[in-house]
Amino acid sequence: MNSIEVLSRKIESLADGLPPTTIMEVCGTHTHAIRRYGVRQLLPKQVRLVSGPGCPVCVTAQEDVARALALARLPNVTLFCFGDMMRVPCGTASLSSLRADGADVRICVSPMDAFEFAREHPLREVVWFGVGFETTTPHTAALIEAGIRSGVKNLSILCAHKTMPNALRALLGGETRVDALLCPGHVAAITGADAFAFLPEEYGISAAISGFEPEELLLAIFALLKMQASGTPKLVNAYPRVVNPAGNPAARSLVETYFEPCDALWRGLGEISSSGLSLRPAFAKWDAGARFSMEPVAAVPASGCRCGDVLRGRIEPNECALFGQACTPEQPLGACMVSSEGACAAYYQYEGAGI
Ligand code: SF4
C-alpha cells in the first residue's frame, strides 16, 4: 500500500465518526492540485472540499482589470503582466484582444522583464500590472528597488496586490460556513505560519498549512479532521519543509519598505479593509494610477457569471448555468475560467464540462 492509500484509509476511518465536514482551500495552486490529483475522490463523502478566494487572477477586481485596459490603450504605454491576466474578459475586451488590435501588452515571467525593457526603451512608458498575494508582492518590491537604484524614469506600477488575512476574516465573518481551512503554503513561506494563528484564535476554526503534493494535501486534511474529532481547533503547519513560524523576513522587509496596507476591492468579495497594498507616499511617483491621472473605472462582470459565489465557496463551478456552455477555457466569460488555478478552469480541465 502506498502512502496515499494509507492516508486515504486513515482519513476514511477518522471521518467515520464525524459529522459532515467542509474544508475550504484558499490557494489557487491547491485548487489546481486537488483537481489534478483527484484528491476529492480520495476522500469519504462526509468530507467536502470547497474552493475559496485563492487564485490571484480570479480575485483581481474587474475595476483593476479595466484600469489595466485603459493604460494599455494609451499609445506610449507598454504594459507588462502575467500570462493569465491576458484573457480575463472585461466588457467586450481583454488585454489579449487589445494586443491583437495593436496595443503593446507583453507577458512576462518576472516583473524584472519590465525593468529591463524600460531601461532599453527610455521613450516608452512601461507599466507593470502587479497582482497576487504575499508570494508575488516581493517581486514587485524588488522591481521598484531596481528602478530606484538604476534611476530609470519611465517605469511605474499598477498595483492590485492583495494580502490574505483580512480577506479570510471577511469571508469567515460573513455568510461563508466552513469547518476548517487549508492554508496556502506559498503565502505562509513568506508570512510565516504564525500569520494564520488568528484562525483558531478569532474564529475557533481549525487550520492547516499544506504543501502541494497529494500526500501533503492528504496529510493536512488528516490533521484538520483530527482536530475536528478532538474538538480542539488549532493551527497546524503540515508543510514544515518549506514553512517556518516567522516566514521570510527579508522578503517581508522589502515589501514593507515600499508598500503599506490599503482597502482593496476583490472580485466577488467587494471592498475589504486593509486587504491590499498601495505604494507608500514616498514612492508615489512609481504609482501608475498617479502618473497617468486615472479616474476610478466602473466595470461590470459578464451577465450570469457567478465567480463571486464560486470564490466564496457557495457553489461548485458546474452550478453556474454558463459553465461548460457559454463559458469554457477557450472562451472564458469570467476570471475563474481563465487561470489554471481558477476553480472553474480546474474543474473543467479535470472533471469535464458535463459533470
Ligand atoms: S463558469 Fe464561467 S461564467 Fe460561470 S462562474 Fe465560472 S467563470 Fe463565471
Side-chain angles (χ1 to χ4, degrees), residues 290-316:
R291 185 176 297 205
F292 295 97
S293 305
M294 297 185 71
E295 299 296 325
V297 185
V300 183
S303 171
C305 172
R306 298 186 66 188
C307 275
D309 290 327
V310 171
L311 291 167
R312 287 171 185 266
R314 283 181 179 155
I315 63 166
E316 286 287 319

Side-chain angles (χ1 to χ4, degrees), residues 19 32 53 78 94 108 258 271 273 321:
H32 184 88
T78 298
S94 66
C108 61
Y258 298 106
E271 185 169 285
S273 165

Side-chain angles (χ1 to χ4, degrees), residues 109-139:
V109 177
S110 160
M112 283 301 169
D113 295 350
F115 168 67
E116 296 298 340
F117 185 89
R119 276 212 305 198
E120 290 161 11
H121 301 83
L123 299 181
R124 300 288 298 169
E125 279 292 337
V126 178
V127 177
W128 162 241
F129 185 17
V131 304
F133 298 109
E134 288 87 339
T135 323
T136 47
T137 314
H139 298 278

